Amino acid sequence: MANTKLLIIDDDPDYVDGIKSILDKADYDVDVAYNPKDGLEALKSGGYDLLLLDIMMGRGAEGVMVARKINKDPKLREIPVLIITGIREQMAFLFPGQPVHPRLLPTDALLEKPVEPSLLLEKVEALLKEAAEKKAKGA
Amino acid sequence: METTPKILIIDDEEIVIDSCTHILAKSGYQIVTAKNGTRGLEMMEKENPDLIFVDLKMPGISGLEVLGKVQEYDPTIVPIVITGFATVSSAVEAMKKGAYDFLPKPFTPDEMRLIARRAIDKRKLVLETIALRREKEMLREQFAAIVSHELKSPLGAVQQSMYGLASDLEDKLSNEQKNKIERLQSRIADLLKLVNTWLRAISVDISTIRENFEPTSIVETVSKAVENVQQHAVRKDISIETSLKEPFAPINGNEVTLVEALVNIIGNAVKYTQMGGHIIVTAREEDKKILVEIKDDGVGISAEDLPHVFDDFYVGTTKPEGERRSGVGLAITKRIIEAHDGSISVDSELGKGSTFVILLPILKQEE
């Protein structure tokens, strides 16, 4: 899995450290961006297999903006996204009329902070697998 | 600065109006008057008085009718009846209609001033109570915001760091040390769960529950709720027996919150029942309603706790052994059930167990 590149976009260094440790341990190659702007730039520079995205950043739900921008870019849309947020309850207010887990992106999943190691690894693996299968079908 | 209390006097006799005005004006009140009930009600809406003195016997609409309208318009206005035929029965009737006091004719200036002063105090207290209640609501909402931002996210960050640390040190720690970390994690997890429950209690917004209503099967709802607590029950060797008498008409509701409501009650039943106990969940249709009954043979609820079990943050005197409680589960449940136009009640005796009964209206078939 050493060749699998993951990117975390989250502005809380403690969460980032906690999550990164678990992923490092599982031999993923993990990069970090501490704000949406750096995150998007890193993502565009390419080569990432999966994005872990925090929703509540900066002055509000800036993670949602990131998700929308990714959605508009045909290339970035291919990258699976794991949304990690502390605000499952409030998600419904951000997306009124939608189920609690709004499908922000073509391939995504949602986990609530804090994330247990086993659950985190399980979701990451599942998303990578799903994305690989999709790619194989498309090719 | 306090505003001058305003008093409206409604009486058809000019001499009464004049003398009342004279008596009360001296005490520093602002007086407005009306010669009949209809005019009086108009004045009430225009002037919004603190008190209304109203004659019971007037041509046109009666004093009693005026009382009813005052209640409807603003129940905080304090009405006092003036009665020329001071019989107990007419006074009692007026009090039943919401009059705060009565002034029998003839009366002395002192009698009238005394009654007016008492009534003004009463009005002040009523308004203060309303203001305090509003303040309490606001505090509650602010508390929600504080809990959410100041407690939840740092706690979550601590937990995430613990996970990271445990992962980093996996090969280096002794079993004993790992066990310590696990215990730390479990305590933080408990705290987080508690914070989440509080947040949930405060954020249950009845209007948003109602937005997601759809025809919902009570059989499925009950089954899901039982499944949810089954593991806990098995650990305590408690049997949960369900008896669902089909067919059921669907109800108009939101399954997710209904399951939550039932999980709170059945979960409580498990918490407050000793090892090897029994819980029976029955559901049946009765009188255009669905009745769900959750009966346990657990520790029961004391008579002093019973009236308060649905209050926010109320934890009773009976403590479940080795279990956590937040004091909001049943309060949330009640709010959810009421959002479904249903009702919930409880019957219990210490040492004998508790029975919770939920009534939900069945979905009206479209014609």
Side-chain angles (χ1 to χ4, degrees):
Chain A
M1 275 185 274
N3 303 327
T4 311
K5 277 180 78 182
L6 312 184
L7 176 67
I8 302 174
I9 308 180
D10 191 331
D11 64 348
D12 185 332
D14 290 334
Y15 273 113
V16 171
D17 279 3
I19 291 170
K20 192 173 180 299
S21 288
I22 297 162
L23 295 169
D24 282 343
K25 176 104 186 159
D27 261 351
Y28 288 107
D29 190 354
V30 186
D31 286 342
V32 175
Y34 291 101
N35 63 62
K37 198 169 156 269
D38 293 351
L40 271 172
E41 262 168 40
L43 205 60
K44 278 180 191 158
S45 72
Y48 289 104
D49 299 292
L50 185 132
L51 168 68
L52 295 108
L53 177 67
D54 178 34
I55 290 296
M56 294 308 277
M57 280 189 287
R59 271 170 301 171
E62 286 184 17
V64 176
M65 311 275 281
V66 175
R68 289 201 178 119
K69 278 184 186 153
I70 293 172
N71 221 357
K72 278 188 194 147
D73 187 316
K75 236 175 121 188
L76 296 185
R77 271 174 68 100
E78 304 290 314
I79 302 171
V81 180
L82 179 56
I83 293 164
I84 298 181
T85 174
I87 52 146
R88 194 172 57 136
E89 287 297 326
Q90 287 102 310
M91 287 301 266
F93 297 107
L94 296 173
F95 307 92
Q98 287 180 38
V100 177
H101 170 200
R103 283 230 156 238
L104 292 176
L105 296 155
T107 314
D108 69 358
L110 186 134
L111 280 179
E112 215 174 336
K113 279 181 179 179
V115 197
E116 265 181 78
S118 57
L119 197 61
L120 177 67
L121 294 175
E122 194 181 295
K123 279 271 158 131
V124 167
E125 251 170 68
L127 276 176
L128 286 170
K129 201 173 149 214
E130 200 183 315
E133 277 166 9
K134 223 186 245 175
K135 217 175 187 178
K137 247 186 227 168
Chain B
M1 210 190 87
E2 281 199 25
T3 51
T4 314
K6 197 184 274 182
I7 299 175
L8 169 62
I9 301 163
I10 309 172
D11 200 311
D12 60 319
E13 287 176 75
E14 208 154 323
I15 183 151
V16 177
I17 287 196
D18 283 350
S19 55
C20 288
T21 309
H22 189 72
I23 293 166
L24 295 174
K26 270 193 177 168
S27 308
Y29 301 120
Q30 191 190 337
I31 312 295
V32 284
T33 61
K35 284 202 175 100
N36 58 56
T38 313
R39 182 87 189 98
L41 290 172
E42 282 168 22
M43 288 298 276
M44 168 185 76
E45 290 186 24
K46 191 168 148 238
E47 301 283 346
N48 285 307
D50 296 289
L51 303 192
I52 297 181
F53 279 96
V54 58
D55 190 9
L56 270 188
K57 204 176 170 195
M58 292 182 294
I61 68 169
S62 75
L64 282 179
E65 264 184 271
V66 171
L67 280 180
K69 292 266 160 63
V70 171
Q71 279 284 331
E72 255 171 57
Y73 175 72
D74 179 355
T76 69
I77 295 178
V78 182
I80 297 152
V81 293
I82 305 172
T83 161
F85 46 108
T87 63
V88 172
S89 67
S90 65
V92 167
E93 200 181 341
M95 302 288 256
K96 270 190 194 155
K97 284 251 178 179
Y100 170 66
D101 207 342
F102 68 100
L103 188 61
K105 275 193 258 185
F107 49 85
T108 68
D110 276 344
E111 279 168 352
M112 180 168 210
R113 279 190 212 110
L114 183 68
I115 284 181
R117 204 173 63 225
R118 266 180 10 103
I120 291 286
D121 286 347
K122 151 92 176 169
R123 159 91 170 166
K124 261 190 212 152
L125 281 177
V126 168
L127 293 182
E128 260 174 45
T129 308
I130 291 172
L132 283 173
R133 204 171 288 154
R134 205 171 290 152
E135 200 174 306
K136 189 180 145 202
E137 273 306 302
M138 277 172 62
L139 277 174
R140 213 173 108 112
E141 277 159 30
Q142 279 173 7
F143 177 69
I146 291 166
V147 168
S148 119
H149 294 111
E150 308 303 327
L151 260 177
K152 194 183 163 181
S153 71
L155 261 180
V158 168
Q159 184 75 316
Q160 196 69 66
S161 299
M162 293 289 301
Y163 289 145
L165 193 65
S167 168
D168 284 347
L169 297 175
E170 212 187 348
D171 325 322
K172 299 182 184 74
L173 294 182
S174 69
N175 280 341
E176 202 180 318
Q177 287 166 326
K178 276 184 193 160
N179 183 268
K180 270 183 193 146
I181 289 206
E182 263 165 38
R183 266 156 53 199
L184 275 170
Q185 285 174 347
S186 123
R187 295 302 283 263
I188 299 172
D190 278 355
L191 261 180
L192 271 169
K193 223 189 258 175
L194 191 64
V195 170
N196 278 330
T197 320
W198 283 348
L199 275 175
R200 181 86 184 103
I202 292 153
S203 68
V204 173
D205 185 348
I206 288 191
S207 60
T208 55
I209 296 177
R210 296 184 72 101
E211 277 166 21
N212 300 316
F213 272 13
E214 56 190 0
T216 302
S217 151
I218 205 74
V219 176
E220 215 157 291
T221 309
V222 171
S223 308
K224 280 189 186 170
V226 170
E227 201 186 299
N228 194 302
V229 295
Q230 195 64 261
Q231 230 186 340
H232 189 186
V234 168
R235 270 206 305 274
K236 281 186 79 175
D237 190 28
I238 290 169
S239 71
I240 304 180
E241 189 185 310
T242 52
S243 147
L244 311 169
K245 292 208 185 73
E246 293 198 70
F248 282 111
I251 63 156
N252 194 25
N254 171 249
E255 191 182 88
V256 178
T257 54
L258 278 176
V259 168
E260 184 185 349
L262 286 170
V263 164
N264 285 340
I265 298 178
I266 307 172
N268 266 357
V270 175
K271 265 189 209 173
Y272 291 91
T273 298
Q274 300 90 336
M275 301 276 281
H278 304 86
I279 297 166
I280 303 168
V281 183
T282 49
R284 57 179 184 271
E285 212 176 301
E286 199 173 276
D287 218 6
K288 300 237 162 96
K289 279 181 178 153
I290 304 277
L291 183 151
V292 184
E293 189 186 84
I294 297 106
K295 192 172 159 62
D296 67 60
D297 56 0
V299 295
I301 303 164
S302 73
E304 64 184 287
D305 288 334
L306 204 55
H308 303 292
V309 292
F310 296 111
D311 293 354
D312 276 339
F313 304 110
Y314 188 84
V315 284
T317 45
T318 322
K319 240 181 134 173
E321 237 171 274
E323 309 263 13
R324 267 177 346 100
R325 36 193 204 153
S326 60
V328 291
L330 288 179
I332 298 171
T333 297
K334 182 163 189 251
R335 245 173 269 155
I336 293 170
I337 298 298
E338 283 173 355
H340 286 80
D341 295 319
S343 65
I344 179 166
S345 58
V346 57
D347 193 19
S348 184
E349 203 181 316
L350 213 53
K352 296 213 169 141
S354 311
T355 305
F356 283 82
V357 174
I358 295 171
L359 283 170
L360 291 162
I362 64 174
L363 181 63
K364 283 194 193 84
Q365 297 297 324
E366 310 252 330
E367 275 156 40

